[in-house]
Amino acid sequence: MQAETKETIDLQGRNIRFYHRQQFFQGVKTGMPIAVGYIPIAITFGLVAKSAGVPTYATMMMSFLIYAGASQFVGVQLLSLGATPWEILLTTFILNLRHFLMTASISQRIYKGTSKNWMALLAFGITDETFTVASLQKEQRLHPVFLLGLNLTAFSAWNLGTWTGLFVAAGLPESIQSSMGIALYAMFIGLLIPSLRKSLPIFVVTLCAMTMQTILHWVPLFSGISGGWEIIISTIISAIIGSLLFPKGVDES
C-alpha cells in the first residue's frame, strides 16, 4: 500500500515537472519574436554607450540590472551631458512609472498562490513588449513559469545584444565610434515620427516637450538649470498638459 502511494506521488511529481517544463518552453517560444526585435536595438545601445565613453562594465550592468531600453538610452545621454546621479535617477524613475501599472495589471492574471519572491522576479522582467504579449494570451490565468520563460528570453536577448554592441564598438575606428553618437538621435526620431503622423495627442505632447526644453535651454532666466533637470521638468510639464488635454488617452481620442 505504501509502495503504491509512493509511486503515485512520484508520478504526480513527474507530471508537475513535465507541465512546468512545458510551460517554460511555451514562454520561450512566445518570447522569440521579442528577442529578435530586441537584439538590433541592444546592439545599438552598446555602440552608443561605448561612443559616449560609458565604461564597459557600467554598460553591461545597466542592461543586467536596469533592463529598460528607453531609460538606458536616456541614461547614457544624461551621462554624456554630465548630469548628476539624482537627475539620472529621477528621470529614469519618471520614464518607468508606467511599469507600476503594467505589473499591477499582469499580476491579476497570474495563478493565485504564487509567492511574493516569484512575483518580484516576474515584475523585474516586465517590459512594454513582454507585457503586451502576456496580456494578449487567451488563457485567463498565466502560469508563472510561462512568464519566466517569456521574460528570460527577452532579457537574454537584450543583454546578448548589448555585449555584441560593445564587442563590435571595440573594433571600430575611433572616428566611427564618435559618429555613433548621432545614432541615438536618429533612433528616437525614427521611433517618434510614425507615432506623430498617427496620433494627435502624441504630436501635442511632443510639441509641448520641445517648447519647454527650448525655453529652459535658451531663456537667460533659466540658465542656471542643468541639462538633466531641463529634461525632467519638460517631461513632467508636457505629461501633465497631455493628461489634461487628452484624459481618455491615445487610443480613445
CSV table of all heavy atoms in Angstrom, one decimal, residues 19-58:
chain,number,residue,atom,x,y,z
A,19,TYR,N,4.8,19.4,-16.7
A,19,TYR,CA,4.0,20.6,-17.0
A,19,TYR,C,4.7,21.9,-16.9
A,19,TYR,O,4.6,22.8,-17.7
A,19,TYR,CB,2.8,20.6,-16.0
A,19,TYR,CG,1.8,21.7,-16.2
A,19,TYR,CD1,1.0,21.8,-17.4
A,19,TYR,CD2,1.7,22.7,-15.2
A,19,TYR,CE1,0.2,22.9,-17.5
A,19,TYR,CE2,0.8,23.8,-15.4
A,19,TYR,CZ,0.1,23.8,-16.6
A,19,TYR,OH,-0.8,24.9,-16.7
A,20,HIS,N,5.6,22.0,-15.9
A,20,HIS,CA,6.3,23.2,-15.7
A,20,HIS,C,7.3,23.4,-16.8
A,20,HIS,O,7.5,24.5,-17.4
A,20,HIS,CB,7.1,23.2,-14.4
A,20,HIS,CG,6.3,23.4,-13.2
A,20,HIS,ND1,6.7,23.3,-11.9
A,20,HIS,CD2,4.9,23.7,-13.1
A,20,HIS,CE1,5.7,23.5,-11.0
A,20,HIS,NE2,4.6,23.8,-11.7
A,21,ARG,N,8.0,22.3,-17.3
A,21,ARG,CA,8.9,22.4,-18.4
A,21,ARG,C,8.2,22.8,-19.7
A,21,ARG,O,8.7,23.6,-20.4
A,21,ARG,CB,9.6,21.1,-18.5
A,21,ARG,CG,10.8,21.1,-19.5
A,21,ARG,CD,11.7,19.9,-19.2
A,21,ARG,NE,11.1,18.6,-19.2
A,21,ARG,CZ,11.1,17.9,-18.1
A,21,ARG,NH1,11.7,18.2,-17.1
A,21,ARG,NH2,10.4,16.7,-18.2
A,22,GLN,N,7.0,22.3,-19.8
A,22,GLN,CA,6.2,22.6,-21.0
A,22,GLN,C,5.8,24.1,-21.0
A,22,GLN,O,5.9,24.8,-22.0
A,22,GLN,CB,4.9,21.7,-21.0
A,22,GLN,CG,4.1,21.8,-22.3
A,22,GLN,CD,2.9,20.9,-22.2
A,22,GLN,OE1,2.2,20.9,-21.2
A,22,GLN,NE2,2.5,20.3,-23.3
A,23,GLN,N,5.4,24.6,-19.8
A,23,GLN,CA,5.0,26.0,-19.7
A,23,GLN,C,6.2,26.9,-20.0
A,23,GLN,O,6.1,27.9,-20.6
A,23,GLN,CB,4.5,26.3,-18.3
A,23,GLN,CG,3.1,25.7,-18.1
A,23,GLN,CD,2.0,26.5,-18.8
A,23,GLN,OE1,2.1,27.8,-18.9
A,23,GLN,NE2,1.1,25.8,-19.5
A,24,PHE,N,7.4,26.5,-19.4
A,24,PHE,CA,8.6,27.3,-19.6
A,24,PHE,C,9.0,27.4,-21.1
A,24,PHE,O,9.2,28.5,-21.6
A,24,PHE,CB,9.8,26.7,-18.9
A,24,PHE,CG,11.1,27.4,-19.0
A,24,PHE,CD1,11.3,28.6,-18.3
A,24,PHE,CD2,12.0,27.0,-19.9
A,24,PHE,CE1,12.5,29.3,-18.5
A,24,PHE,CE2,13.2,27.7,-20.1
A,24,PHE,CZ,13.4,28.8,-19.3
A,25,PHE,N,9.0,26.3,-21.8
A,25,PHE,CA,9.4,26.4,-23.2
A,25,PHE,C,8.3,27.0,-24.1
A,25,PHE,O,8.6,27.6,-25.1
A,25,PHE,CB,9.7,24.9,-23.7
A,25,PHE,CG,11.0,24.4,-23.3
A,25,PHE,CD1,11.1,23.4,-22.4
A,25,PHE,CD2,12.2,25.0,-23.8
A,25,PHE,CE1,12.3,23.0,-21.9
A,25,PHE,CE2,13.4,24.6,-23.3
A,25,PHE,CZ,13.5,23.6,-22.4
A,26,GLN,N,7.1,27.0,-23.6
A,26,GLN,CA,6.0,27.7,-24.3
A,26,GLN,C,6.3,29.2,-24.2
A,26,GLN,O,6.1,30.0,-25.1
A,26,GLN,CB,4.6,27.4,-23.7
A,26,GLN,CG,3.5,28.1,-24.4
A,26,GLN,CD,3.3,27.7,-25.9
A,26,GLN,OE1,3.6,26.6,-26.3
A,26,GLN,NE2,2.9,28.6,-26.7
A,27,GLY,N,6.7,29.6,-23.0
A,27,GLY,CA,7.1,31.0,-22.8
A,27,GLY,C,8.3,31.4,-23.6
A,27,GLY,O,8.3,32.5,-24.2
A,28,VAL,N,9.3,30.6,-23.7
A,28,VAL,CA,10.4,30.9,-24.5
A,28,VAL,C,10.0,31.0,-26.0
A,28,VAL,O,10.5,32.0,-26.7
A,28,VAL,CB,11.5,29.7,-24.4
A,28,VAL,CG1,12.6,29.9,-25.4
A,28,VAL,CG2,12.0,29.7,-23.0
A,29,LYS,N,9.2,30.1,-26.5
A,29,LYS,CA,8.7,30.2,-27.9
A,29,LYS,C,7.9,31.5,-28.1
A,29,LYS,O,8.1,32.1,-29.1
A,29,LYS,CB,7.8,29.0,-28.1
A,29,LYS,CG,7.3,28.9,-29.6
A,29,LYS,CD,6.4,27.7,-29.7
A,29,LYS,CE,5.8,27.6,-31.2
A,29,LYS,NZ,4.9,26.5,-31.3
A,30,THR,N,7.1,31.8,-27.1
A,30,THR,CA,6.3,33.1,-27.3
A,30,THR,C,7.2,34.3,-27.3
A,30,THR,O,6.9,35.3,-28.0
A,30,THR,CB,5.3,33.1,-26.2
A,30,THR,OG1,4.5,31.9,-26.1
A,30,THR,CG2,4.3,34.3,-26.3
A,31,GLY,N,8.3,34.2,-26.6
A,31,GLY,CA,9.2,35.4,-26.5
A,31,GLY,C,10.2,35.6,-27.6
A,31,GLY,O,10.9,36.6,-27.6
A,32,MET,N,10.3,34.6,-28.5
A,32,MET,CA,11.3,34.6,-29.5
A,32,MET,C,11.1,35.9,-30.4
A,32,MET,O,12.1,36.5,-30.8
A,32,MET,CB,11.2,33.4,-30.3
A,32,MET,CG,11.8,32.1,-29.6
A,32,MET,SD,13.5,32.4,-29.0
A,32,MET,CE,14.4,32.6,-30.5
A,33,PRO,N,9.9,36.2,-30.9
A,33,PRO,CA,9.8,37.4,-31.7
A,33,PRO,C,10.3,38.7,-31.0
A,33,PRO,O,10.9,39.6,-31.6
A,33,PRO,CB,8.3,37.5,-32.0
A,33,PRO,CG,7.8,36.1,-31.9
A,33,PRO,CD,8.6,35.5,-30.8
A,34,ILE,N,10.0,38.8,-29.7
A,34,ILE,CA,10.5,39.9,-28.9
A,34,ILE,C,12.1,39.9,-28.9
A,34,ILE,O,12.7,40.9,-29.1
A,34,ILE,CB,10.0,39.9,-27.5
A,34,ILE,CG1,8.5,39.9,-27.5
A,34,ILE,CG2,10.6,41.0,-26.7
A,34,ILE,CD1,7.9,39.8,-26.1
A,35,ALA,N,12.6,38.7,-28.7
A,35,ALA,CA,14.1,38.6,-28.7
A,35,ALA,C,14.7,39.1,-30.0
A,35,ALA,O,15.7,39.8,-30.1
A,35,ALA,CB,14.5,37.2,-28.4
A,36,VAL,N,14.1,38.7,-31.1
A,36,VAL,CA,14.6,39.1,-32.5
A,36,VAL,C,14.6,40.6,-32.6
A,36,VAL,O,15.5,41.2,-33.2
A,36,VAL,CB,13.8,38.4,-33.6
A,36,VAL,CG1,14.1,38.9,-34.9
A,36,VAL,CG2,14.0,36.9,-33.5
A,37,GLY,N,13.5,41.2,-32.1
A,37,GLY,CA,13.4,42.7,-32.2
A,37,GLY,C,14.3,43.4,-31.2
A,37,GLY,O,14.8,44.5,-31.5
A,38,TYR,N,14.7,42.8,-30.1
A,38,TYR,CA,15.5,43.4,-29.1
A,38,TYR,C,17.0,43.5,-29.5
A,38,TYR,O,17.7,44.5,-29.2
A,38,TYR,CB,15.4,42.7,-27.8
A,38,TYR,CG,14.3,43.1,-26.9
A,38,TYR,CD1,13.4,44.0,-27.3
A,38,TYR,CD2,14.2,42.6,-25.6
A,38,TYR,CE1,12.3,44.4,-26.4
A,38,TYR,CE2,13.2,43.0,-24.7
A,38,TYR,CZ,12.3,43.9,-25.2
A,38,TYR,OH,11.3,44.3,-24.3
A,39,ILE,N,17.4,42.4,-30.2
A,39,ILE,CA,18.9,42.3,-30.4
A,39,ILE,C,19.5,43.5,-31.2
A,39,ILE,O,20.5,44.1,-30.7
A,39,ILE,CB,19.2,41.0,-31.1
A,39,ILE,CG1,19.0,39.9,-30.1
A,39,ILE,CG2,20.6,41.0,-31.7
A,39,ILE,CD1,19.3,38.5,-30.7
A,40,PRO,N,18.9,44.0,-32.3
A,40,PRO,CA,19.5,45.1,-33.0
A,40,PRO,C,19.4,46.4,-32.2
A,40,PRO,O,20.4,47.2,-32.2
A,40,PRO,CB,18.6,45.3,-34.3
A,40,PRO,CG,17.4,44.5,-34.1
A,40,PRO,CD,17.7,43.4,-33.1
A,41,ILE,N,18.4,46.6,-31.4
A,41,ILE,CA,18.3,47.8,-30.6
A,41,ILE,C,19.3,47.7,-29.5
A,41,ILE,O,20.0,48.7,-29.1
A,41,ILE,CB,16.9,48.0,-29.9
A,41,ILE,CG1,15.8,48.0,-31.1
A,41,ILE,CG2,16.8,49.2,-29.1
A,41,ILE,CD1,14.4,48.0,-30.5
A,42,ALA,N,19.5,46.6,-28.9
A,42,ALA,CA,20.5,46.4,-27.8
A,42,ALA,C,21.9,46.6,-28.4
A,42,ALA,O,22.8,47.1,-27.7
A,42,ALA,CB,20.4,45.0,-27.2
A,43,ILE,N,22.2,46.1,-29.6
A,43,ILE,CA,23.5,46.3,-30.2
A,43,ILE,C,23.7,47.8,-30.4
A,43,ILE,O,24.8,48.3,-30.1
A,43,ILE,CB,23.5,45.6,-31.6
A,43,ILE,CG1,23.6,44.1,-31.4
A,43,ILE,CG2,24.8,46.0,-32.4
A,43,ILE,CD1,23.5,43.3,-32.7
A,44,THR,N,22.7,48.5,-30.8
A,44,THR,CA,22.8,50.0,-31.0
A,44,THR,C,23.1,50.6,-29.6
A,44,THR,O,23.9,51.5,-29.5
A,44,THR,CB,21.5,50.6,-31.5
A,44,THR,OG1,21.2,50.0,-32.7
A,44,THR,CG2,21.6,52.1,-31.7
A,45,PHE,N,22.5,50.1,-28.6
A,45,PHE,CA,22.7,50.7,-27.2
A,45,PHE,C,24.2,50.5,-26.8
A,45,PHE,O,24.8,51.4,-26.3
A,45,PHE,CB,21.8,50.0,-26.2
A,45,PHE,CG,22.2,50.4,-24.8
A,45,PHE,CD1,22.0,51.7,-24.3
A,45,PHE,CD2,22.8,49.4,-23.9
A,45,PHE,CE1,22.4,52.0,-23.0
A,45,PHE,CE2,23.2,49.8,-22.7
A,45,PHE,CZ,22.9,51.0,-22.2
A,46,GLY,N,24.7,49.3,-27.1
A,46,GLY,CA,26.1,49.0,-26.8
A,46,GLY,C,27.0,49.9,-27.5
A,46,GLY,O,28.0,50.5,-27.0
A,47,LEU,N,26.7,50.2,-28.8
A,47,LEU,CA,27.6,51.0,-29.6
A,47,LEU,C,27.5,52.5,-29.1
A,47,LEU,O,28.5,53.2,-29.0
A,47,LEU,CB,27.1,51.0,-31.1
A,47,LEU,CG,27.4,49.7,-31.9
A,47,LEU,CD1,26.6,49.7,-33.2
A,47,LEU,CD2,28.8,49.5,-32.1
A,48,VAL,N,26.3,52.9,-28.8
A,48,VAL,CA,26.1,54.3,-28.4
A,48,VAL,C,26.8,54.6,-27.0
A,48,VAL,O,27.5,55.6,-26.8
A,48,VAL,CB,24.6,54.7,-28.3
A,48,VAL,CG1,24.4,56.0,-27.6
A,48,VAL,CG2,24.0,54.7,-29.7
A,49,ALA,N,26.6,53.6,-26.1
A,49,ALA,CA,27.2,53.7,-24.8
A,49,ALA,C,28.8,53.8,-24.9
A,49,ALA,O,29.4,54.6,-24.2
A,49,ALA,CB,26.8,52.6,-23.9
A,50,LYS,N,29.3,52.9,-25.8
A,50,LYS,CA,30.7,52.9,-26.0
A,50,LYS,C,31.2,54.2,-26.5
A,50,LYS,O,32.2,54.8,-26.1
A,50,LYS,CB,31.1,51.8,-26.9
A,50,LYS,CG,32.6,51.5,-27.0
A,50,LYS,CD,33.1,50.8,-25.8
A,50,LYS,CE,34.6,50.4,-25.9
A,50,LYS,NZ,35.1,49.8,-24.7
A,51,SER,N,30.5,54.8,-27.6
A,51,SER,CA,30.9,56.0,-28.2
A,51,SER,C,30.8,57.2,-27.2
A,51,SER,O,31.5,58.2,-27.4
A,51,SER,CB,30.1,56.3,-29.4
A,51,SER,OG,28.7,56.5,-29.1
A,52,ALA,N,29.8,57.1,-26.2
A,52,ALA,CA,29.6,58.2,-25.3
A,52,ALA,C,30.7,58.1,-24.1
A,52,ALA,O,30.7,59.0,-23.2
A,52,ALA,CB,28.2,58.1,-24.7
A,53,GLY,N,31.5,57.1,-24.2
A,53,GLY,CA,32.6,57.0,-23.2
A,53,GLY,C,32.1,56.3,-21.9
A,53,GLY,O,32.8,56.4,-20.8
A,54,VAL,N,31.0,55.7,-21.9
A,54,VAL,CA,30.5,54.9,-20.7
A,54,VAL,C,31.4,53.7,-20.5
A,54,VAL,O,31.5,52.9,-21.5
A,54,VAL,CB,29.0,54.6,-20.8
A,54,VAL,CG1,28.5,53.8,-19.5
A,54,VAL,CG2,28.2,55.8,-21.0
A,55,PRO,N,31.9,53.4,-19.3
A,55,PRO,CA,32.7,52.2,-19.1
A,55,PRO,C,32.0,51.0,-19.5
A,55,PRO,O,30.7,50.9,-19.3
A,55,PRO,CB,33.0,52.3,-17.6
A,55,PRO,CG,32.9,53.7,-17.2
A,55,PRO,CD,31.8,54.3,-18.1
A,56,THR,N,32.7,50.0,-20.0
A,56,THR,CA,32.1,48.8,-20.4
A,56,THR,C,31.3,48.1,-19.3
A,56,THR,O,30.2,47.6,-19.5
A,56,THR,CB,33.2,47.8,-21.0
A,56,THR,OG1,33.8,48.4,-22.1
A,56,THR,CG2,32.6,46.5,-21.4
A,57,TYR,N,31.9,48.0,-18.1
A,57,TYR,CA,31.3,47.3,-17.0
A,57,TYR,C,30.0,48.0,-16.6
A,57,TYR,O,28.9,47.4,-16.3
A,57,TYR,CB,32.2,47.2,-15.8
A,57,TYR,CG,32.4,48.5,-15.0
A,57,TYR,CD1,31.5,48.8,-14.0
A,57,TYR,CD2,33.4,49.4,-15.4
A,57,TYR,CE1,31.7,50.0,-13.3
A,57,TYR,CE2,33.6,50.6,-14.7
A,57,TYR,CZ,32.7,50.9,-13.7
A,57,TYR,OH,32.9,52.1,-13.0
A,58,ALA,N,29.9,49.4,-16.7
A,58,ALA,CA,28.7,50.1,-16.4
A,58,ALA,C,27.6,49.8,-17.4
A,58,ALA,O,26.5,49.7,-17.1
A,58,ALA,CB,29.0,51.6,-16.3
